[in-house]
Amino acid sequence: MKKLIWIGCLSYLVIGIAHVVGGSILEQLIDHYGLTYKDGGQWIMNQFLGFLVGVILAPSITARIGKRGAVLIALGALTLSEAAYSLLLPWGWMLAVAPLAGFGFGMTEAVVGAMIIDLAKGKASAMSRLETFFGVGALIIPVAAAYLIAQNVWQVSFPILAALSGVTFVLWLTMSFGKLDEQIGFQPPKAAVSSSMEQGTAGARTGIFGYPRTALPFLLLSAAFFMIYVGMEMSFSNYLPSLLIERSQVNESSAAAALSLFWATMVFGRIFAGTLAEKMGYAKYLFIATGGATIVFALMALMGQLSWMLFFVALSGLFFSGIFGIALVYANALIPGMTERTTSLLVACGGLGGAIFPRVTGWFMDRYDGGVTLWYVSVLVLIMLLVLGAMLVLGRGQSQRRDAVRNR
């Protein structure tokens, strides 16, 4: 199991880089191609549309060729697309390749995440470890990008990611996981297929897509929460360098490095997020983290000085650090027996948010100033808190129903 978790961590490191690399060098891409922020938002949106497709298809692909086969397809797509980016193709081709990149890191995230939630004993701690490495990847690339920008070779960011993705592909292809090989191999285990078929048949009689009807309101609110969270986080992280350049007049390499501050506090927070959530309870942890983030973003929109901006950027990373992973574990805990489908659905909704909201954020950046854009992001965080409140209320009822079924 340890070997599986560590290669899962490496995979999340790669997709962490893939998520953030675009935002780290977005200013340079815009200058190189002579684009607007809206055009840059279209490129990011195309990636997340591919992400959405990859996540939605993950359960069916896994059912046909096994978990390892699905991860190999995903990492192969990511490697090829980043290699294509390295050539700095005409902009139309960059937009065409973007969905393939999103497909790669989206399916990797969904399959590996579901695998760990399903097989690991300490689910919150294991997911926090994966999310920590995601954060490490998101932290490394802005630092590397800042150096590459200063050296005027920013485009080297793409081949670095292609190489890391290729190495991870080879490790998934060649490594043995002992007793777990049957469960994560190139064919789904017979027991899992049989169980899945029975579950689907029962679900067709009792609910939608295999879910009990009583779980659907909670599931829909969870989906909305993930859509807003990922859309907001991707908007903020991808446009943070641009916001700092416009609002605080820092240079491009310093702005890219400031993004690392956000991810550094994310990584630090994720080291402790799983342990904290298990001690406090998932619901309490999520409410405190989201409430804190709401206050921090309101203050960030009010204060534009560089020192205050950097302080609030660091705090936002701490508050956001465990939200995604703990919310994923929380939702799966309240809808047992549907791990792969629930994980894919919620990550897909996150991908939908990641496709839509950065595009809207790019429109705000073009039409208004950075201050207005920050208020827009702050409103998204507030809406996220309100959705979470409703989700936690329904979650309490869902938990009582789950416990009643277990005690029969």
Side-chain angles (χ1 to χ4, degrees), residues 7 26 40 77 103 110 135 139 190 200-201 204 223-224 252 274 291 298 321 354 362 391 394 397:
I7 195 170
L26 187 61
F103 175 88
L139 168 64
K190 294 178 182 178
T201 303
E252 290 183 353
S321 58
M391 176 181 154
L394 287 181

Side-chain angles (χ1 to χ4, degrees), residues 245-279:
I245 289 168
E246 183 181 322
R247 264 199 124 193
S248 305
Q249 288 78 52
V250 299
N251 60 48
E252 290 183 353
S253 60
S254 297
L259 181 56
S260 294
L261 177 63
F262 174 73
W263 286 107
T265 53
M266 277 277 235
V267 169
F268 181 76
R270 284 173 178 175
I271 294 171
F272 307 102
T275 304
L276 280 173
E278 285 171 353
K279 287 183 177 179

Side-chain angles (χ1 to χ4, degrees), residues 41-322:
Q42 181 67 57
W43 179 60
I44 294 169
M45 181 178 179
N46 284 10
Q47 284 198 150
F48 277 92
L49 288 173
F51 177 100
L52 187 63
V53 172
V55 171
I56 290 172
L57 292 180
S60 58
I61 292 176
T62 300
R64 286 169 174 76
I65 62 174
K67 294 178 173 65
R68 194 197 296 252
V71 173
L72 288 174
I73 287 176
L75 288 171
L78 180 60
T79 304
L80 289 174
S81 58
E82 295 300 329
Y85 281 163
S86 303
L87 303 175
L88 290 181
L89 302 169
W91 185 245
W93 282 102
M94 295 290 278
L95 291 176
V97 170
L100 183 63
F103 175 88
F105 62 75
M107 186 183 290
T108 302
E109 183 173 350
V111 176
V112 175
M115 203 185 305
I116 296 302
I117 290 174
D118 207 24
L119 300 176
K121 291 182 178 178
K123 300 182 187 305
S125 296
M127 271 307 296
S128 291
R129 193 182 303 178
L130 258 65
E131 289 289 312
T132 297
F133 275 80
F134 181 102
V136 170
L139 168 64
I140 289 172
I141 197 62
V143 174
Y147 174 77
L148 295 172
I149 289 167
Q151 301 299 314
N152 202 31
V153 286
W154 53 269
Q155 63 271 28
V156 176
S157 302
F158 294 130
I160 289 173
L161 177 53
L164 285 171
S165 180
V167 168
T168 309
F169 175 92
V170 172
L171 289 174
W172 273 104
L173 181 65
T174 58
M175 284 182 71
S176 170
F177 300 99
K179 294 179 180 179
L180 294 174
D181 275 345
E182 183 184 349
Q183 291 177 272
I184 64 169
F186 291 103
Q187 293 293 332
K190 294 178 182 178
V193 173
S194 174
S195 173
S196 176
M197 289 175 65
E198 290 172 9
Q199 188 181 65
T201 303
R205 293 194 302 268
T206 62
I208 299 173
F209 301 124
Y211 290 98
R213 293 186 185 279
T214 53
L216 291 178
F218 172 77
L219 183 67
L220 290 172
L221 280 173
S222 299
F225 179 81
F226 273 82
M227 184 173 73
I228 298 168
Y229 172 77
V230 176
M232 178 277 308
E233 185 192 273
M234 287 297 101
S235 294
F236 181 63
S237 61
N238 279 305
Y239 287 100
L240 178 58
S242 302
L243 287 167
L244 287 172
I245 289 168
E246 183 181 322
R247 264 199 124 193
S248 305
Q249 288 78 52
V250 299
N251 60 48
E252 290 183 353
S253 60
S254 297
L259 181 56
S260 294
L261 177 63
F262 174 73
W263 286 107
T265 53
M266 277 277 235
V267 169
F268 181 76
R270 284 173 178 175
I271 294 171
F272 307 102
T275 304
L276 280 173
E278 285 171 353
K279 287 183 177 179
M280 296 168 60
Y282 300 152
K284 188 175 181 181
Y285 175 90
L286 288 169
F287 186 77
I288 291 173
T290 308
T294 304
I295 295 169
V296 165
F297 267 85
L299 293 172
M300 193 186 302
L302 286 169
M303 300 180 184
Q305 299 96 326
L306 180 60
S307 57
W308 280 112
M309 282 289 291
L310 293 177
F311 175 68
F312 291 130
V313 164
L315 270 184
S316 67
L318 281 176
F319 281 116
F320 284 151
S321 58

